[in-house]
Amino acid sequence: MELLKQRIREVGTVLSNEVIKLDAILNHAVDPALTTAMGREFTRLFREDNVTKILTIESSGIPIAFAAAQDLNVPMVFARRKKSLNSDTSETYSERVPSFTKGYVTDIMVSREFLTAEDRILVIDDFIANGDAARGLIRIIRRSGAHLVGVGIAVEKSFQAGGRTIRESGVRVESLAKITSLAPGRIEFE
Ligand code: 5GP
């Protein structure tokens, strides 16, 4: 998606060879026009897949997931992160997910009432690095009996293994911008 790549070039700050700061559009501030356009792009990609619900993870996935949900006219659910130790209850699914940027493990939780075996779920998130966040959401979907339609990611860092390994497991992963390398002052796209 050219517009997203252009905005990444404009506002992105390379923090290391592995991490890019995109606070101005994804992780701290929201650009409504860009976010709406990303939602539209996810809709174009998954229009034929009879998505019934979008699942994301708080907090940075929420605006783009909302934009896609509005466009596809389906509800959106966000997994909540808990710092304390959480395990499944009769009401919730929990999964443990290492946080790539924060360096600690969080437990993510979705109420069972929001995922049913009849659902066809599209997962949406801001970034994919090692793929832990996406895999945590996928495990929750599998356990609920819902069907996973695919994963939509705003920014895939394709030099990290997450997108590739999830695709290799048979899941459709679509990314709006793929970064192949990061260096100070230099962002390369596929
Ligand atoms: P993963 O679980 O795929 O390793 O990492 C995905 C999560 O880590 C994303 O939800 C995102 O919040 C965060 N993340 C991973 N890499 C980056 C990065 O380069 N920049 C920012 N701002 N967040 C990242």
Side-chain angles (χ1 to χ4, degrees):
M1 185 182 166
E2 268 318 309
L3 177 63
L4 177 58
K5 288 192 218 169
Q6 185 191 321
R7 297 289 281 129
I8 291 172
R9 285 194 196 96
E10 284 165 12
V11 305
T13 307
V14 177
L15 296 182
S16 72
N17 290 348
E18 294 208 320
V19 179
I20 177 167
K21 186 174 171 188
L22 284 177
D23 282 5
I25 54 170
L26 284 178
N27 304 114
H28 197 9
V30 174
D31 175 335
L34 175 66
T35 305
T36 301
M38 288 194 275
R40 208 151 282 160
E41 188 62 12
F42 286 127
T43 299
R44 190 184 66 74
L45 290 163
F46 290 99
R47 193 193 308 279
E48 310 297 328
D49 295 281
N50 300 319
V51 173
T52 64
K53 207 167 275 172
I54 291 180
L55 180 64
T56 188
I57 181 165
E58 68 178 3
S59 52
S60 299
I62 293 175
I64 42 179
F66 173 82
Q70 186 164 46
D71 231 37
L72 284 166
N73 196 26
V74 297
M76 182 271 277
V77 176
F78 56 95
R80 298 167 75 171
R81 292 182 195 268
K82 301 279 174 193
K83 278 207 186 115
S84 57
L85 193 61
N86 268 267
S87 46
D88 282 352
T89 68
S90 57
E91 275 121 42
T92 62
Y93 300 106
S94 288
E95 286 287 337
R96 178 142 300 171
V97 171
S99 165
F100 178 81
T101 40
K102 300 191 184 81
Y104 54 71
V105 167
T106 52
D107 288 340
I108 62 171
M109 182 278 281
V110 179
S111 284
R112 289 176 190 250
E113 68 177 298
F114 295 127
L115 296 177
T116 73
E118 287 72 47
D119 274 322
R120 294 176 56 83
I121 309 279
L122 170 61
V123 168
I124 288 200
D125 204 5
D126 58 341
F127 273 95
I128 193 161
N130 296 328
D132 292 306
R135 268 191 299 272
L137 294 176
I138 291 170
R139 283 196 298 273
I140 287 176
I141 293 166
R142 301 252 190 257
R143 292 171 57 211
S144 75
H147 178 78
L148 171 66
V149 164
V151 177
I153 298 288
V155 182
E156 175 172 352
K157 291 181 292 172
S158 52
F159 57 89
Q160 291 167 317
R164 178 172 50 79
T165 52
I166 293 173
R167 286 186 190 97
E168 283 170 0
S169 74
V171 174
R172 179 178 170 199
V173 181
E174 300 280 0
S175 306
L176 306 186
K178 284 188 185 162
I179 294 178
T180 53
S181 73
L182 291 171
R186 207 177 163 86
I187 305 163
E188 301 281 358
F189 294 97
E190 191 172 297

